[in-house]
């Protein structure tokens, strides 16, 4: 576990994966996100921190258009994934979400077996041509979700019967099974105990090798431990965005400093 | 004193007991200077409950038992000689009851006094004409034994009523007074009155259970009577249903069970797909506005009386199916058919399936849907693979509820499918169901003790066993999936 921001986590020669330009989000008449501009890097863990209700989850949900399922929600501005606008009319949100996976705050395994939970994404996207390939994907995903050893003997057991931490790792395995390019995590550890949290954090660090990971968290320590870049949101504004080390040791904005030292929030 | 006035008095005493109990508790507390265990109201409540409830229960039991006991005593007074040739004892007993009522009426008119009645003799006085004056018409002259029995019945009823009044009042005052005396500052009045109310609640639920037991046992006894005079093997395995008024009927249940099954199957084939699709549309796709209009509109279907559906089957659906489908295809020329009844019954069942399933689908947590969308599933994939499986136990429950409605439905079948008991596969033929035959066997003009009438109870019991089995199956399925999903 990394308890202090480590200096060797350099993020220099990484390319931009997602670029947001002047993003505005409205819930009905409420202006929830104001003028957010941010470049999220490839193969990097980016943490969104900020007090409750500051818009970090809302912004996260814009990145794979999950907000489309909310009627009153309206998004303006451009969000580019690999240079393409994801809010373009020609983009199918279903295709987008296959590329930008999501893990939710509360573990939400489907009421199916562990195997079927992981096989769900590959099946609907036709990633496997036969049972053997599907088996392989399931095993690989469960291994990557660091849960294979615990469930390999009971793949037919219902996913809802696992413990909270196991369920969350199952959900992560389920998300990586569709081979996304970006993984969005909305407070993935808030319902977990410290041991399960440690396991998930370790997992996030490993996932960085292949994916761009964006994590929303309320725990400053967690942000410091797992991320290389940190964005601080406050009242719908992106206040500061930079290297995690810099944000936590030498914040530019006084609001950031107040928040990480526990004076606002 | 009539039962109504008596119960009012008991309730009045109960209310009085409340205030007395409360007052006594308060005055005791002041006098002894100690704190009461419970709020004063609880002391009042316990006195009121002990005053009124046991007395009312005694009264109910007395009113139920007294006529039974008097009947059996009077019955013994009637010799076989006065029972007319070919008549029944029960008819004579009915006469006795009417004469007793008539005597009461004469008394109320003031046309006769208690002493005169004692001296009245059936062989001297013209009882028949005097009773006719107060509106009790008798078919023949009254035999001496019958008149004496009537007098005895009248007398016992009067004595019984008086005894009941005394017993109830004594119990009211006794139990109330005893509780009132028991009151002291340490009496746990709150616990007493709460336990009392708990016992009342248990009693209320027992009423429902005992009613079920009563229904089943009444069916059971008549069914046993039926099987004494008609072989069970013929009932369960004969394929012919042909009741005759003169006896020698064939009473095989198979054609009726087949008809029930066939009509219910058609009804479910209509109701389940349509109802489920409605539920999916309403729960997942419809906008709030559409939903708020469409859901009540569909539920209107559930409020239509089945006889109206029957009319619809009889004058619209039946002729339509016959003229445009059955006759051109050469499948039959009857306007009442399995398909008619099944279609109309299916329409009736749609709101059952759709409304319940809609609620159940809505209850599937949004996080399930989010999880599926987050993996790049379309709305349709999400519904088919995540929402519906999660909602399955509830949907199965809704379908089985609809199935038991279909099995028990009578009116639509009478008017849509006819009353001919037949074993056949052609859905354009008239067939009939168990419930229809229960009605027609019981409303016929046959003697009650004949197999043609008693068969209705055997049919009813069979139907009951079937629906019970269906309910148990539903419970089993729901529980099995619950274990898996929760």
């Amino acid at each position: 576990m990394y308890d202090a921001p480590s200096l060797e986590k350099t993020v220099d020669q990484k390319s931009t994966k997602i670029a947001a330009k002047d993003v505005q989000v409205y819930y009905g008449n409420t202006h929830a996100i104001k003028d957010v501009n941010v470049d999220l890097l490839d193969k990097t863990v980016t943490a969104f921190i900020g007090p409750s209700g500051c818009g970090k989850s809302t912004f996260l949900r814009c990145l794979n258009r999950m907000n489309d399922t909310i009627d009153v929600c309206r998004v303006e501005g451009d969000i580019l994934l690999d240079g393409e606008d994801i809010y373009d009319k020609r983009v199918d949100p279903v295709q987008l979400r296959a590329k930008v996976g999501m893990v939710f705050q509360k573990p939400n395994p489907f009421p199916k077996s562990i195997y079927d939970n992981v096989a769900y994404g590959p099946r609907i996207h036709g990633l496997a041509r036969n049972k053997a390939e599907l088996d392989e994907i399931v095993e690989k995903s469960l291994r990557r979700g660091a849960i294979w050893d615990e469930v390999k003997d009971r793949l037919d057991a219902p996913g809802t019967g696992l413990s909270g931490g196991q369920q969350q790792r199952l959900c992560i395995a389920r998300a990586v099974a569709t081979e996304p390019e970006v993984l969005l995590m909305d407070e993935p550890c808030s319902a977990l105990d410290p041991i399960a949290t440690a396991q998930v954090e370790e997992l996030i660090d490993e996932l960085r090798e292949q994916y761009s990971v964006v994590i929303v968290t309320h725990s400053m320590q967690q942000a410091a431990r797992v991320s290389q870049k940190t964005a601080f949101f406050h009242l719908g504004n992106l206040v500061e965005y930079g290297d995690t080390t810099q944000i936590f040791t030498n914040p530019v904005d006084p609001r950031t400093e107040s928040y990480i030292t526990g004076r606002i929030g | 004193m009539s039962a109504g006035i008596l119960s009012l008095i008991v309730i009045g005493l109960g209310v009085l007991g409340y205030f007395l109990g409360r007052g006594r508790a308060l005055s005791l507390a002041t006098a002894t200077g100690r704190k009461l265990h419970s709020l004063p109201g609880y002391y009042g409540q316990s006195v009121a409950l002990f005053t009124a409830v046991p007395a009312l229960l005694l009264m109910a039991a007395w009113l139920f038992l007294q006529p039974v006991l008097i009947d059996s005593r009077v019955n013994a007074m009637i010799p076989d000689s006065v029972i007319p040739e070919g008549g029944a004892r029960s008819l004579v007993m009915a006469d006795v009851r009417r004469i007793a009522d008539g005597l009461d009426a004469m008394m109320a008119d003031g046309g006769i006094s208690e002493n005169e009645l004692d001296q009245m003799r059936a062989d001297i006085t013209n009882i028949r004409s005097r009773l006719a004056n107060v509106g009790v018409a008798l078919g023949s002259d009254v035999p001496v034994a019958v008149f004496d029995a009537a007098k005895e019945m009248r007398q016992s009823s009067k004595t019984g009523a008086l005894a009941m009044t005394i017993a109830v009042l004594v119990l009211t005052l006794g139990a109330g007074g005893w509780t009132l005396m028991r009151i002291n500052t340490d009496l746990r009045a709150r616990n007493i009155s709460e336990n009392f109310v708990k016992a009342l609640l248990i009693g209320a639920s027992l009423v429902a259970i005992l009613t079920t037991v009563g229904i089943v046992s009444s069916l059971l006894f008549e069914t046993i009577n039926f099987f004494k005079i008609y072989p069970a093997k013929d009932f369960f395995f004969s394929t012919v249903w042909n009741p005759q008024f003169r006896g020698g009927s064939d009473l095989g249940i198979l054609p009726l069970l087949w008809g029930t099954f066939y009509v219910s199957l058609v009804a479910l084939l209509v109701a389940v797909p349509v109802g489920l699709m409605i539920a999916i549309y309403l729960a997942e796709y419809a906008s709030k506005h559409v939903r708020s209009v469409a859901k009540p509109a569909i539920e209107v279907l559930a409020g239509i009386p089945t006889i109206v559906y029957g009319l619809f089957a009889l004058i619209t659906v039946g002729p339509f199916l016959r003229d445009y489908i059955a006759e051109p295809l050469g499948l039959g020329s009857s306007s009442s058919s399995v398909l008619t009844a099944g279609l109309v019954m299916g329409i009736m069942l749609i709101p059952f399936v759709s409304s319940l399933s809609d609620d159940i689908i809505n209850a599937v947590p949004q996080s399930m849907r989010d999880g599926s969308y987050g993996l790049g599933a379309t709305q349709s994939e999400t519904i088919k693979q995540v929402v519906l499986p999660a909602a399955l136990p509830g949907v199965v429950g809704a379908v089985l509820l609809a199935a038991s409605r279909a099995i028990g439905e009578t009116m639509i079948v009478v008017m849509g499918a006819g009353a001919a008991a037949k074993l056949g596969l052609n859905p354009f033929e008239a067939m009939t169901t168990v419930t229809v035959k229960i009605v027609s066997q019981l409303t016929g003009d046959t003697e009650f003790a004949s197999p043609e009438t008693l068969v209705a109870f055997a049919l009813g019991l069979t139907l009951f066993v079937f629906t019970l089995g269906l309910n148990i199956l539903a419970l089993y399925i729901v529980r099995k999936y619950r274990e898996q999903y929760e």
Side-chain angles (χ1 to χ4, degrees):
Chain A
M1 291 291 80
Y2 310 96
D3 277 318
S6 37
L7 296 170
E8 76 274 8
K9 290 189 207 164
T10 46
V11 284
D12 300 334
Q13 61 283 48
K14 300 279 171 62
S15 58
T16 300
K17 187 71 187 171
I18 295 179
K21 284 178 194 154
D22 298 328
V23 173
Q24 322 279 343
V25 180
Y26 303 87
Y27 284 117
N29 293 324
T30 318
H31 197 172
I33 298 278
K34 299 159 194 157
D35 301 316
V36 170
N37 287 288
V38 68
D39 285 343
L40 302 173
L41 302 182
D42 200 10
K43 298 195 185 351
T44 304
V45 178
T46 308
F48 287 178
I49 59 171
S52 291
C54 69
K56 54 196 188 307
S57 287
T58 301
F59 182 66
L60 189 78
R61 289 167 66 94
C62 289
L63 300 181
N64 69 344
R65 293 184 61 173
M66 277 302 280
N67 285 336
D68 288 15
T69 59
I70 300 167
D71 289 335
V72 295
C73 185
R74 196 154 47 84
V75 180
E76 287 173 8
D78 296 325
I79 298 176
L80 308 176
L81 174 68
D82 292 329
E84 284 179 48
D85 184 3
I86 64 169
Y87 278 88
D88 192 289
K89 282 203 170 56
R90 282 166 301 172
V91 172
D92 180 2
V94 167
Q95 293 293 316
L96 171 72
R97 290 185 203 132
K99 271 196 264 180
V100 184
M102 188 154 192
V103 175
F104 296 84
Q105 180 172 3
K106 225 178 118 214
N108 57 348
F110 299 136
K112 298 166 178 292
S113 71
I114 293 171
Y115 183 96
D116 287 338
N117 259 286
V118 182
Y120 182 80
R123 272 190 185 134
I124 58 175
H125 296 299
L127 298 182
R129 271 165 303 176
N130 52 44
K131 180 82 170 71
E133 269 188 31
L134 191 61
D135 285 349
E136 203 177 305
I137 293 177
V138 169
E139 180 177 344
K140 198 175 75 185
S141 308
L142 284 170
R143 278 189 195 284
R144 222 184 279 165
I147 192 179
W148 170 252
D149 290 331
E150 291 158 64
V151 301
K152 64 182 173 198
D153 301 323
R154 46 172 175 150
L155 292 176
D156 291 332
T160 43
L162 298 172
S163 73
Q166 288 173 324
Q167 286 189 10
Q168 193 62 301
R169 278 179 286 149
L170 176 65
C171 290
I172 294 172
R174 186 175 73 183
V176 300
T178 50
E179 301 285 347
E181 295 163 23
V182 181
L183 199 55
L184 308 177
M185 297 181 149
D186 191 355
E187 297 179 44
C189 299
S190 65
L192 305 185
D193 69 8
I195 295 170
T197 303
Q199 286 164 328
V200 171
E201 283 178 5
E202 210 167 334
L203 179 60
I204 292 169
D205 201 52
E206 286 164 22
L207 293 173
R208 176 163 67 97
E209 289 165 17
Q210 276 153 320
Y211 312 103
S212 172
V213 179
V214 184
I215 176 171
V216 167
T217 177
H218 271 139
S219 157
M220 244 83 71
Q221 289 85 347
Q222 185 173 53
R225 283 193 298 261
V226 300
S227 70
Q228 290 80 50
K229 292 285 236 180
T230 297
F232 171 62
F233 286 81
H234 189 239
L235 301 176
N237 295 303
L238 175 61
V239 174
E240 192 167 352
Y241 174 59
D243 289 352
T244 299
T245 327
Q246 174 253 314
I247 294 271
F248 280 96
T249 55
N250 192 16
V252 176
D253 196 289
R255 284 173 292 178
T256 315
E257 192 184 356
S258 309
Y259 180 69
I260 60 177
T261 52
R263 261 175 283 155
I264 59 166
Chain B
M1 199 181 295
S2 79
I5 295 173
L6 187 59
S7 44
L8 278 183
I9 290 174
V10 170
I11 290 169
L13 285 172
V15 173
L16 182 68
Y18 175 85
F19 290 107
L20 285 180
R22 191 168 174 277
R24 183 170 152 80
L26 281 175
S27 64
L28 271 176
T30 334
T32 56
R34 288 165 67 185
K35 237 178 126 238
L36 284 172
H37 169 269
S38 318
L39 292 174
Y42 282 113
Y43 291 92
Q45 261 180 43
S46 61
V47 175
L49 287 170
F50 271 99
T51 311
V53 177
L56 289 177
L57 287 179
L58 174 75
M59 197 160 91
W62 197 299
L63 286 174
F64 179 73
L65 285 177
Q66 180 179 307
V68 178
L69 292 176
I70 292 178
D71 262 17
S72 70
R73 238 181 72 200
V74 171
N75 207 347
M77 285 173 62
I78 297 174
D80 284 340
S81 57
V82 301
I83 296 170
E85 195 73 22
R89 182 166 278 268
S90 60
L91 291 179
V92 178
M93 277 305 291
D95 269 354
V96 170
R97 240 167 265 140
R98 287 169 60 213
I99 293 169
D101 286 348
L103 291 176
D104 271 346
M106 275 158 80
M107 198 78 76
D109 272 3
I112 189 173
S113 72
E114 199 73 43
N115 282 334
E116 279 179 287
L117 182 64
D118 282 343
Q119 281 147 25
M120 251 165 109
R121 298 255 325 260
D123 42 353
I124 300 170
T125 328
N126 188 355
I127 306 283
R128 193 176 163 199
S129 66
R130 293 196 68 169
L131 281 174
N133 287 340
V134 291
V136 180
L138 292 169
S140 60
D141 276 331
V142 184
V144 178
V146 171
F147 187 65
D148 287 345
K151 282 209 282 190
E152 172 63 27
M153 173 178 269
R154 208 185 136 268
Q155 201 57 47
S156 329
S157 305
K158 271 183 72 175
T159 326
L162 187 66
M164 179 181 83
T165 309
I166 293 168
V168 167
L169 286 179
V170 165
L171 183 63
T172 312
L173 296 173
W178 176 68
T179 337
L180 197 59
M181 287 303 111
R182 253 174 61 182
I183 289 180
N184 62 53
T185 48
D186 290 333
L187 184 75
R188 301 186 175 183
R190 190 176 52 161
N191 307 33
I192 290 173
S193 79
E194 278 173 3
N195 281 335
F196 204 105
V197 170
K198 200 168 83 186
L200 277 185
L201 296 181
I202 293 172
S205 46
L206 275 181
V207 169
I209 295 168
L210 289 179
T211 311
T212 315
V213 172
I215 290 172
V216 172
S217 54
S218 76
L219 278 180
L220 199 64
F221 288 126
E222 297 298 343
T223 306
I224 290 170
N225 285 340
F226 170 69
F227 283 130
K228 276 182 195 153
I229 50 181
Y230 192 87
K233 186 172 73 79
D234 288 356
F235 175 69
F236 285 115
F237 299 108
S238 163
T239 56
V240 181
W241 174 268
N242 183 21
Q244 302 282 333
F245 287 117
R246 296 168 191 179
S249 319
D250 289 311
L251 299 172
I253 196 178
L254 286 181
L256 305 184
L257 274 186
W258 169 247
T260 305
F261 173 76
Y262 205 176
V263 173
S264 308
L265 183 75
V266 174
L268 289 178
L269 283 181
V270 174
V272 172
V274 177
L276 263 184
M277 284 192 269
I278 290 175
I280 291 170
Y281 173 72
L282 284 183
E284 299 287 328
Y285 293 101
S287 69
K288 246 190 200 136
H289 182 69
V290 172
R291 194 181 141 87
S292 68
V293 176
K295 202 173 177 192
I298 291 165
E299 280 166 359
V300 165
L301 281 178
I304 300 176
T306 55
I307 188 84
V308 176
Y309 279 108
L311 287 174
F312 180 56
L314 188 70
I315 61 176
T316 312
V317 180
F320 174 84
L321 287 176
R322 180 193 59 198
D323 296 344
Y324 293 96
I325 301 178
E327 281 188 334
L329 291 174
L331 286 171
S333 58
S334 154
S335 74
S336 31
S337 65
V338 170
L339 207 58
T340 308
L343 279 179
V344 175
M345 204 192 285
I347 295 167
M348 177 193 83
L349 294 177
I350 285 173
F352 281 87
V353 179
S354 74
S355 200
L356 275 173
S357 307
D358 173 51
D359 291 345
I360 291 153
I361 291 173
N362 263 323
V364 172
Q366 182 63 31
S367 69
M368 291 284 154
R369 298 187 181 90
D370 282 350
S372 177
Y373 293 143
L375 291 170
T378 62
Q379 194 168 7
S380 149
E381 285 165 339
T382 304
I383 292 166
K384 277 184 292 188
Q385 302 190 28
V386 176
V387 177
L388 281 186
L392 192 67
V395 171
V396 169
V399 169
L400 287 173
L401 186 74
S404 23
R405 275 293 302 237
I407 289 173
E409 179 50 47
T410 315
M411 233 47 240
I412 295 176
V413 181
V414 177
M415 300 175 82
K422 244 183 276 179
L423 264 176
L425 280 173
N426 183 352
F428 293 100
E429 257 180 22
M431 278 184 208
T432 199
T433 63
V434 176
T435 49
V436 172
K437 282 301 161 196
I438 292 178
V439 174
S440 65
Q441 291 313 107
L442 276 181
T443 51
D445 214 4
T446 45
E447 200 187 329
F448 190 77
S450 70
E452 285 74 25
T453 306
L454 285 178
V455 71
F457 294 96
L459 290 175
L461 191 65
T462 316
L463 202 61
F464 179 79
V465 169
F466 268 83
T467 45
L468 188 72
L470 213 57
N471 282 345
I472 292 173
L473 182 74
L475 275 181
Y476 171 77
I477 292 175
V478 168
R479 196 169 300 159
K480 190 177 161 207
Y481 280 95
R482 251 217 195 119
E483 270 169 17
Q484 197 175 336
Y485 290 154
E486 276 172 11

